[in-house]
Amino acid sequence: MRNALGLMLASVVTAVLITGVWCWTSAPRADAAPPQTVAARKAEPLPAPAAKLAPKDDVDITASLTKPAPAPVPAAQPAKSACANPDALGVSRTVVIDTTGGPGFGFLQYKQFDFLTDKEVVLTFDDGPWPTTPAVLKALSDECTKGVFFPVGKHTTYHPEILRQVAAAGHTVGSHTWSHTHLDSKKLTEQQVREEIEKGFSAVKMALGAAPAPFFRFPALAHTQASRDYLGTRNIAMFSCDVDSNDFKSSSPDQVIQNVMTKLDKQGKGVILMHDLQKHTAIALPTLLRRLKAGGYKVVQMKAKEQLETLPEYDAMLVKDQKVPAVASRPISSVVQTVSQ
Ligand SMILES: [Zn+2]
């Protein structure tokens, strides 16, 4: 009896074991295992064709080979390279200017450095910062492109936050004198000319909290030999233009666009002079930038190799100008008291 029971138990255990092993190795496992195996095998041959590609493509291939762990890659991308507009005008190249000795740019006056190739333009904006400037910044940002700004010192004291927006957007910021005085005036002494130049740069530095580019444009492009010589001693580059938009006397945004495109199509390239203070220019800019793109023009960004060291006496002069009376240091409650509400 015991033997019979033992035999029965043994055969039940064996049957359970056989079924269990069959189920484990066959049915459910069959569904899960194959995709993993296929995926693992397919990944292996990838490096072989990569090695056969030309050295020129090595960077791309290396990047794709390192991609199996993609998670940390996006963190390394600098934010400034992001451009949401795939058809943007953009910046085709960036040049760095060594301003030693005060080089001049813009063939209207300074026929020195013909560095632009066919269809290349430099976008420049004078007379800001002004409430019209943010619209100019938006148009440039929408096209992921960059310009050079020549602000007026006094205006930077009115709207320092707007000038900070210009710098934060990655544009180059130079200067356009302290008060937009025409420096060829015979009434000005040498000292006054210096003050217009230096105080203008100091004002930009004060607004930005950082040194400006040693890039200067004469108001009304009115220069003299003496003022050019002075800029040379300060290693400040001077900017004239090749294409004057004449936006300050244009009757409409369309006329600004026509002025620029007509001159540009004739000359084929150049430094374009505009004013971010002009409403017509701010309105015209989105269309103008599209026209540049459609016409095959490419934007070159100009940057300074080194920033300008402003002169301490002019920095101090500005701080003195801005200083409010000492009474302002009194606490508000001791000056203004609510007596009825
Ligand atoms: Zn101006």
Side-chain angles (χ1 to χ4, degrees):
M1 195 59 185
R2 273 193 185 167
N3 279 348
L5 258 173
L7 263 173
M8 269 180 73
L9 258 173
S11 48
V12 166
V13 168
T14 310
V16 167
L17 271 175
I18 288 169
T19 312
V21 168
W22 180 84
C23 288
W24 185 68
T25 53
S26 175
R29 199 77 177 158
D31 289 339
Q36 285 188 348
T37 313
V38 170
R41 277 188 191 151
K42 271 201 171 169
E44 282 173 9
L46 275 176
K52 288 180 190 165
L53 290 171
K56 205 175 135 192
D57 295 324
D58 276 356
V59 176
D60 287 343
I61 293 304
T62 309
S64 74
L65 281 176
T66 55
K67 266 197 174 160
V73 175
Q77 295 283 336
K80 64 176 182 180
S81 68
C83 177
N85 178 0
D87 189 37
L89 177 61
V91 172
S92 71
R93 69 180 171 119
T94 301
V95 294
V96 173
I97 307 299
D98 180 346
T99 61
T100 305
F105 299 98
F107 268 54
L108 188 67
Q109 290 168 297
Y110 312 126
K111 297 172 176 55
Q112 292 182 324
F113 299 103
D114 190 13
F115 73 100
L116 294 174
T117 61
D118 194 33
K119 294 271 182 182
E120 281 188 334
V121 298
V122 177
L123 306 171
T124 68
F125 299 92
D126 294 3
D127 293 3
W130 208 247
T132 42
T133 306
V136 169
L137 293 178
K138 175 159 191 331
L140 296 172
S141 166
D142 287 347
E143 291 293 333
C144 307
T145 194
K146 306 286 182 205
V148 183
F149 285 73
F150 295 97
V152 173
K154 273 188 179 174
H155 294 178
T156 72
T157 65
Y158 305 155
H159 306 290
E161 74 292 346
I162 297 179
L163 193 69
R164 285 194 285 272
Q165 286 173 32
V166 175
H171 303 293
T172 303
V173 182
S175 175
H176 193 44
T177 70
W178 163 246
S179 65
H180 209 270
T181 302
H182 296 187
L183 298 188
D184 62 345
S185 168
K186 294 203 163 44
K187 290 180 195 161
L188 293 176
T189 64
E190 201 177 311
Q191 190 51 40
Q192 285 171 317
V193 168
R194 283 184 185 201
E195 190 172 317
E196 273 294 322
I197 294 169
E198 297 294 350
K199 222 172 141 182
F201 279 109
S202 290
V204 171
K205 185 190 173 187
M206 191 170 77
L208 295 182
F215 289 1
F216 180 82
R217 181 174 268 144
F218 287 96
L221 304 179
H223 59 179
T224 61
Q225 185 62 51
S227 54
R228 288 196 306 270
D229 288 347
Y230 179 71
L231 291 174
T233 64
R234 290 281 285 128
N235 299 323
I236 295 170
M238 52 205 101
F239 283 68
S240 181
C241 70
D242 299 281
V243 172
D244 189 346
S245 67
N246 281 320
D247 55 355
F248 62 98
K249 47 185 175 186
S250 293
S251 59
S252 68
D254 278 349
Q255 205 190 331
V256 177
I257 297 167
Q258 281 312 311
N259 287 346
V260 171
M261 294 312 297
T262 306
K263 289 179 186 177
L264 198 53
D265 286 341
K266 209 156 114 189
Q267 296 182 34
K269 64 177 183 177
V271 176
I272 305 172
L273 166 54
M274 293 171 279
H275 296 83
D276 51 314
L277 166 129
Q278 294 294 329
K279 204 174 171 184
H280 288 329
T281 302
I283 296 170
L285 207 56
T287 308
L288 178 59
L289 297 177
R290 291 317 297 158
R291 288 279 300 274
L292 290 176
K293 168 86 178 175
Y297 291 100
K298 292 164 285 179
V299 174
V300 174
Q301 183 179 19
M302 295 178 79
K303 287 184 175 179
K305 188 179 172 191
E306 281 173 36
Q307 303 307 105
L308 181 74
E309 260 188 56
T310 57
L311 299 180
E313 63 260 44
Y314 294 96
D315 292 346
M317 209 182 272
L318 261 172
V319 172
K320 211 171 136 196
D321 285 356
Q322 297 295 307
K323 225 173 192 173
V324 283
V327 69
S329 61
R330 280 173 58 195
I332 291 176
S333 59
S334 80
V335 181
V336 184
Q337 281 188 336
T338 304
V339 290
S340 78
Q341 209 166 19

